[in-house]
Amino acid sequence: MSTKIEVNAMGDACPLPVVKTLKALKQLDGEGAVVTSVDNETAVKNISKMAQEKGCTASVEKVSDAEWHVTVATSGAVAVADPEQDGAGFCGASAGKGKLVISVYTDCMGRGDDGLGHKLMKAFIFAVTQQDELPATMLFYNGGAKLTVEGSPVLDDLKGLAEQGVEILTCGTCLDHFGIKDQLAVGEITNMYVIVEKMEQAARVVRP
């Protein structure tokens, strides 16, 4: 008889949605399905990738703009030795020495010359893409919000980071203040509560 386990991973950052799904798959110990509720597309992609590599099938139902149900189905027992370790393997941003958060509060790095500052910020974001350890989350607020919208000089780099599992979050109040909320082109809109939470939970916070 097929078993279904429902998992709530709403509000969880990678690798928690994958880890929770793996733990549920381990509990199945045979034919069945795990339905995981998540609130971001990064989690959807990472769970789907995990399902494929574990020999399972994955289907996605978009419930709303901020909720997806990812169903991972299996016809037999799934090999899961260590959910914590296995889960981190599907979230490049979470592997490494610890959860790194990069906090970007301006589109101009340093003081003295804004033209130079814009060039430095572009170079900084590109340098992030080249690191062995990617950040778990990148937070953009105040002037930094201008970097995640259409026309941003670092948009391609940020999209590439998002595809690798980096969580990109931009302050909604800041986007509203600059009148660019409808131009957001990568990641998701967030609020100050979440920004503080991400910083508090981080092993390290880097601010350019």
Side-chain angles (χ1 to χ4, degrees):
M1 182 177 178
S2 180
T3 303
K4 182 172 77 172
I5 298 177
E6 295 187 0
V7 173
N8 183 0
M10 298 289 289
D12 293 337
C14 192
L16 276 179
V18 178
V19 171
K20 287 183 175 181
T21 304
L22 283 167
K23 287 181 177 179
L25 284 171
K26 191 173 183 179
Q27 291 175 17
L28 281 178
D29 196 28
E31 181 181 357
V34 175
V35 182
T36 305
S37 301
V38 298
D39 62 2
N40 64 87
E41 292 189 35
T42 297
V44 172
K45 292 176 182 177
N46 289 334
I47 293 173
S48 298
K49 179 182 177 183
M50 177 275 292
Q52 181 179 9
E53 294 196 16
K54 291 292 185 180
C56 305
T57 60
S59 59
V60 180
E61 176 190 2
K62 186 173 182 179
V63 180
S64 68
D65 288 340
E67 183 175 357
W68 291 260
H69 292 172
V70 186
T71 300
V72 178
T74 176
S75 58
V78 178
V80 182
D82 184 341
E84 302 284 346
Q85 184 174 348
D86 285 2
F90 294 99
C91 302
S94 299
K97 300 176 182 178
K99 185 182 290 187
L100 169 65
V101 169
I102 294 180
S103 172
V104 183
Y105 69 96
T106 177
D107 61 345
C108 178
M109 187 175 182
R111 296 179 179 178
D113 185 289
D114 286 351
L116 174 61
H118 290 136
K119 291 179 181 179
L120 292 176
M121 182 59 76
K122 183 176 181 180
F124 175 84
I125 298 297
F126 174 75
V128 172
T129 70
Q130 304 302 300
Q131 302 305 302
D132 291 333
E133 179 195 0
L134 295 179
T137 302
M138 295 185 72
L139 303 170
F140 295 85
Y141 53 96
N142 208 327
K146 299 176 182 179
L147 296 174
T148 59
V149 300
E150 293 291 349
S152 164
V154 298
L155 187 57
D156 288 342
D157 287 335
L158 291 179
K159 286 183 175 180
L161 288 167
E163 289 174 359
Q164 295 182 73
V166 178
E167 185 180 35
I168 308 291
L169 299 177
T170 304
C171 168
T173 300
C174 305
L175 290 169
D176 281 333
H177 175 79
F178 293 114
I180 54 176
K181 195 170 188 176
D182 61 340
Q183 300 174 39
L184 185 69
V186 61
E188 300 176 4
I189 295 173
T190 191
N191 55 58
M192 192 53 63
Y193 176 85
V194 173
I195 289 174
V196 172
E197 185 178 60
K198 294 294 182 181
M199 289 181 176
E200 286 186 338
Q201 293 175 353
R204 290 168 293 151
V205 177
V206 171
R207 189 176 72 178

